[in-house]
Amino acid sequence: MPKGLPQPGDQGLDRTHTWARTYWGGALYCLIADVQIREKTKNRRGLQDALRAIARAAGGMSQEWSIARVLSVGDAATGTTVLTDLYVAMKDHPYAPDILMLWSDLGLQLGEGGMRFDETARLAAVRRAITRAPSAGRAGDAHVDADAVTNQSTIVVFRDG
């Protein structure tokens, strides 16, 4: 994720078109949005809820929408303004969140042999909600068997570069 952080001369996600800033910056936007939505809704909603609502309302990819409309539909689905607020913060400005603090808040601790989870961390419940397998009854959801990961004390960390 460090490749998604702004570099000198950065003008925000909408105006900095390097592959790393576009790809990793977008991933960072999604992670921060998911965490903030879950914080504000006490884990009742997440980014997936926003994305499902957008896909449903837009009829898949059959229509072209403005970014404002996309974010508005997603925000309505979560009962927040997270998507819009975060986009405004990141689109034209070098928004640099404190990634190390985010990892700590989520209870992610990198140590010898991999990542450990701190179940007492401020946002440990948010981390568990993000990594939990989808609920039954949501046909078509792709998922990773996150329970197999979250019930372990250590996971392997892959580093880029």
Side-chain angles (χ1 to χ4, degrees):
M1 292 244 167
K3 290 184 179 183
L5 294 173
Q7 300 300 312
D10 187 283
Q11 297 179 356
L13 288 180
D14 279 3
R15 300 179 346 165
T16 304
H17 300 291
T18 63
W19 76 268
R21 188 72 165 112
T22 300
Y23 179 83
W24 289 107
L28 192 56
Y29 172 89
C30 289
L31 175 61
I32 293 169
D34 201 10
V35 169
Q36 288 183 2
I37 291 166
R38 290 175 184 282
E39 274 188 282
K40 290 179 186 294
T41 66
K42 297 182 173 50
N43 270 332
R44 288 188 306 274
R45 296 277 182 260
L47 182 60
Q48 284 185 342
D49 296 294
L51 297 175
R52 282 188 193 101
I54 293 163
R56 222 176 6 260
M61 295 181 69
S62 63
Q63 302 175 37
E64 188 171 321
W65 282 12
S66 69
I67 189 66
R69 185 172 179 194
V70 170
L71 300 176
S72 175
V73 169
D75 281 340
T78 65
T80 71
T81 59
V82 167
L83 297 178
T84 299
D85 295 345
L86 188 57
Y87 175 71
V88 168
M90 295 179 83
K91 72 176 186 158
D92 295 324
H93 309 285
Y95 181 83
D98 185 343
I99 299 279
L100 295 178
M101 181 58 74
L102 177 61
W103 298 155
S104 177
D105 285 347
L106 290 169
L108 303 174
Q109 299 176 337
L110 183 60
E112 299 249 346
M115 185 73 64
R116 294 200 179 279
F117 296 139
D118 175 2
E119 296 304 328
T120 65
R122 184 176 77 83
L123 297 176
V126 168
R127 184 201 67 243
R128 285 191 301 274
I130 290 171
T131 59
R132 183 175 36 241
S135 304
R138 288 185 167 174
D141 279 353
H143 74 278
V144 173
D145 185 5
D147 290 335
V149 174
T150 57
N151 289 334
Q152 301 295 317
S153 61
T154 303
I155 60 172
V156 176
V157 176
F158 296 95
R159 299 176 193 228
D160 57 340

